[in-house]
Amino acid sequence: MTQNVPDFSALLRGARRTAVHLEMRDVYGVADEEAAFEEFRRSGAVDLDPDSALWAGWLPLVRETAARGVVLRRARIVSEPVTDYIRWEHALTPANIAAGEQVRWLPRRLASDLALPGNDLWLIDDRVVLFHWFTGDGAWAGHEFTEDPAVVRAASTAFEAVWERGTPHDRYSV
């Protein structure tokens, strides 16, 4: 795997057909989400305003990518009962969908027989994989990029298996 990791925005802007995201953690501790997550924990409120600061770096990029005809899919493997963080993600997901993503949820107990990668990932056009690393408490720890055909194939196979079993967002309750 290569260490020369391209800028994620450039990678997504270069997608021609597909961009898929596999998420497998029950908690993320990404610093720029802390305030919004804590507000949700206190009040149950979520920010679905696509023009707010919470979404500024993400939703415009998703809309731009989807407008080019790229199919964006996100699959989340989650433990049940879900964590507060996953409950928050679920509540925010309508904003992702409105911007052009498709989202499915797979309870972890239904993924036991699947061969899954060790890290969350983005797979672009079935040609490149960007793995994301997180610390034990969910803080961002880095990423790794590869175009190795065997790794790309394994990531694609894993994502498609999760996607096939996953429940569409509008039918998954937390």
Side-chain angles (χ1 to χ4, degrees):
M1 293 193 215
T2 63
Q3 296 303 314
N4 186 14
V5 179
D7 171 74
F8 178 75
S9 295
L11 191 62
L12 199 53
R13 283 187 174 105
R16 293 181 184 95
R17 296 175 289 102
T18 61
V20 303
H21 188 34
L22 181 59
E23 297 179 8
M24 300 181 289
R25 297 185 54 88
D26 290 318
V27 175
Y28 293 87
V30 181
D32 62 351
E33 297 177 342
E34 281 182 27
F37 177 52
E38 285 308 314
E39 177 62 26
F40 172 75
R41 290 181 73 191
R42 276 192 306 278
S43 69
V46 293
D47 181 354
L48 295 176
D49 176 1
D51 297 320
S52 73
L54 176 67
W55 296 105
W58 182 243
L59 292 185
L61 181 59
V62 170
R63 285 191 299 260
E64 170 191 320
T65 303
R68 290 193 329 272
V70 175
V71 175
L72 292 113
R73 295 183 295 159
R74 180 185 303 256
R76 292 176 169 141
I77 299 174
V78 296
S79 299
E80 294 178 320
V82 300
T83 62
D84 285 346
Y85 187 91
I86 295 300
R87 197 174 337 295
W88 179 61
E89 276 194 332
H90 188 272
L92 288 171
T93 297
N96 296 81
I97 292 169
E101 287 187 62
Q102 299 171 42
V103 180
R104 291 191 182 180
W105 302 82
L106 181 64
R108 194 170 308 283
R109 65 184 162 71
L110 300 178
S112 297
D113 63 333
L114 299 179
L116 299 170
N119 296 290
D120 288 10
L121 63 86
W122 275 94
L123 173 64
I124 307 296
D125 290 333
D126 283 323
R127 65 178 176 78
V128 298
V129 178
L130 181 65
F131 290 104
H132 292 301
W133 304 326
F134 297 90
T135 64
D137 62 1
W140 178 252
H143 48 226
E144 190 169 32
F145 173 81
T146 185
E147 295 176 292
D148 180 313
V151 176
V152 168
R153 193 169 32 259
S156 178
T157 299
F159 180 86
E160 294 303 332
V162 171
W163 187 257
E164 182 178 314
R165 288 189 189 179
T167 302
H169 175 75
D170 63 347
R171 294 199 322 243
Y172 184 75
S173 299
V174 295

